[in-house]
Amino acid sequence: MIEVENLTRIFRTYKKQPGFWGGVKGLFVRDFEETRAADHVSFSIKEGEFVGFLGPNGAGKTTTLKMLSGLIYPTSGRARVAGFDPTKRENAYRRIFALVLGQKNQLWWDLPAIESFHLLRAIYGLPHDQWKATLDELVTLLGVGPKLNVMVRELSLGERMKMELIAALLHRPRVLFLDEPTIGLDVISQKSVREFLRDYNRRHKVTILLTSHYMADISSLCERVIVIDHGKKIYDGNLDRIAGAGAGQRIIKFKPRDSSFPAGWQPRHGEARLCDDGEILLHVPSEHIVAVCQQILGAGPVDDITIQDVPLEDIISDLFSRGVAAK
């Protein structure tokens, strides 16, 4: 469904010197800086796949989605989505994909959402019966029926995002690009949006490419992830494989009961770090968990000990810092 080959986008930005004379100098001599937002990115996605697209801020995720949507042109490389070339911006292509940007909205701010939905029906030339059936299905799944006639600016952030999803899916796209759809939402709204996307993907086999900084979104929705950093792809594969990279380490947390616990205590395996709340945190090789727990209990009285897996966020953050593909 999506084929990307050596997709590259270079932004050229003017570097203005400070002050008045810097501005005058810039009229005659200009310094430019080139930034590779996407650097020879290649991947392919099958129809119906739900793929996570990860990377730190500025990695090139949104730029890649915008190139796939035809909003900006690549500097080099090629992309095909459902057989279409996004750079040609054909109307037939615009009818089979949708782009949802978490920090930008397409709904008319001072009108009820239902008015924008009527406008979209006219733009896409949708038959009324098809439009009504799709709208009723989406409204029911997202539970926003009572809010359809409320002005968009008076909706909560979670309600607005649900309306944005309805607007994106009214024309029944085959491909859906989601850029931070749960950003800023509360926990309940995040869960509701995730459940809707999971159900919609399974029901309609829509190909979805999702960017998110919330690992809960990725871990609950995506089996496969693509990771980019500084414009380069550094990983493409199963999410479990990334999670497995942290299997060799576990995290131990404990809180000393009183001052009798030795200050600056360190285990024979791993390294202890004092947290702001007074707890002590250790990253310990999995094979030494029992030995380290015995050392903790032997060092002094503690109130509680917890053992947990390394969070997915920490594993992916380490992947970013190393900037190399996971093995």
Side-chain angles (χ1 to χ4, degrees):
M1 181 60 73
I2 301 174
E3 296 180 2
V4 174
E5 184 178 345
N6 294 321
L7 205 61
T8 300
R9 173 67 190 199
I10 300 174
F11 289 102
R12 193 165 179 253
T13 54
Y14 164 54
K15 294 175 64 177
K16 180 186 176 299
Q17 298 296 320
F20 173 76
W21 290 111
V24 173
K25 181 182 177 182
L27 295 174
F28 303 96
V29 180
R30 290 198 163 200
D31 294 327
F32 290 92
E33 181 180 42
E34 288 190 347
T35 302
R36 288 182 174 265
D39 190 0
H40 293 88
V41 175
S42 299
F43 58 83
S44 62
I45 298 175
K46 297 178 181 178
E47 184 173 5
E49 272 196 284
F50 201 136
V51 180
F53 198 35
L54 306 181
N57 290 328
K61 305 183 300 297
T62 302
T63 297
T64 302
L65 293 188
K66 287 182 176 180
M67 285 191 286
L68 293 176
S69 303
L71 294 178
I72 59 177
Y73 292 102
T75 305
S76 63
R78 60 181 291 274
R80 305 287 291 182
V81 181
F84 291 94
D85 181 352
T87 62
K88 294 182 178 179
R89 300 182 178 180
E90 300 169 80
N91 284 336
Y93 175 55
R94 298 179 188 184
R95 292 179 182 277
I96 61 98
F97 86 92
L99 170 66
V100 177
L101 301 172
Q103 300 189 60
K104 293 183 180 179
N105 55 308
Q106 63 173 313
L107 299 177
W108 202 285
W109 191 251
D110 291 314
L111 290 176
I114 189 65
E115 298 291 344
S116 294
F117 298 157
H118 280 291
L119 176 61
L120 289 168
R121 181 178 76 84
I123 289 174
Y124 286 101
L126 302 175
H128 185 273
D129 291 345
Q130 175 190 318
W131 171 83
K132 186 67 167 61
T134 304
L135 178 62
D136 289 345
E137 177 192 9
L138 295 172
V139 167
T140 301
L141 287 172
L142 286 166
V144 291
K147 301 294 183 178
L148 285 177
N149 291 299
V150 177
M151 282 187 288
V152 171
R153 60 183 170 84
E154 295 180 358
L155 297 174
S156 69
L157 186 59
E159 290 165 346
R160 286 205 303 273
M161 179 49 61
K162 291 177 181 180
M163 297 298 186
E164 290 288 341
L165 287 170
I166 292 175
L169 296 172
L170 273 175
H171 61 289
R172 299 181 181 176
R174 296 169 57 196
V175 180
L176 180 60
F177 301 121
L178 298 173
D179 187 29
E180 303 281 355
T182 59
I183 189 168
L185 303 187
D186 60 72
V187 175
I188 295 175
S189 295
Q190 287 179 22
K191 182 182 178 186
S192 176
V193 170
R194 283 198 296 266
E195 289 176 347
F196 166 76
L197 291 173
R198 185 190 304 112
D199 181 68
Y200 194 84
N201 170 252
R202 291 172 180 172
R203 187 182 299 209
H204 297 282
K205 305 300 179 184
V206 176
T207 304
I208 302 178
L209 188 57
L210 165 72
T211 78
S212 179
H213 287 295
Y214 297 117
M215 288 303 106
D217 291 349
I218 302 299
S219 59
S220 63
L221 294 173
C222 309
E223 293 184 357
R224 174 188 169 196
V225 294
I226 298 169
V227 183
I228 65 171
D229 189 20
H230 293 91
K232 291 183 176 291
K233 185 181 75 173
I234 61 175
Y235 179 82
D236 182 356
N238 197 287
L239 180 62
D240 291 339
R241 190 173 157 202
I242 286 186
Q249 291 256 325
R250 303 293 292 277
I251 293 177
I252 299 178
K253 274 186 174 183
F254 69 94
K255 190 166 187 176
R257 181 172 300 169
D258 50 44
S259 58
S260 63
F261 196 90
W265 174 86
Q266 290 292 335
R268 287 192 290 273
H269 305 285
E271 183 177 352
R273 177 169 60 85
L274 182 63
C275 301
D276 293 337
D277 58 2
E279 285 191 322
I280 295 177
L281 182 146
L282 301 88
H283 280 76
V284 179
S286 299
E287 63 269 22
H288 298 303
I289 286 291
V290 175
V292 172
C293 287
Q294 291 173 341
Q295 293 171 38
I296 293 170
L297 296 173
V302 297
D303 280 335
D304 188 26
I305 295 180
T306 60
I307 302 171
Q308 61 190 50
D309 295 328
V310 178
L312 185 60
E313 293 93 330
D314 292 350
I315 299 171
I316 293 179
S317 176
D318 181 61
L319 191 65
F320 295 156
S321 65
R322 288 187 287 117
V324 295
K327 301 298 184 182

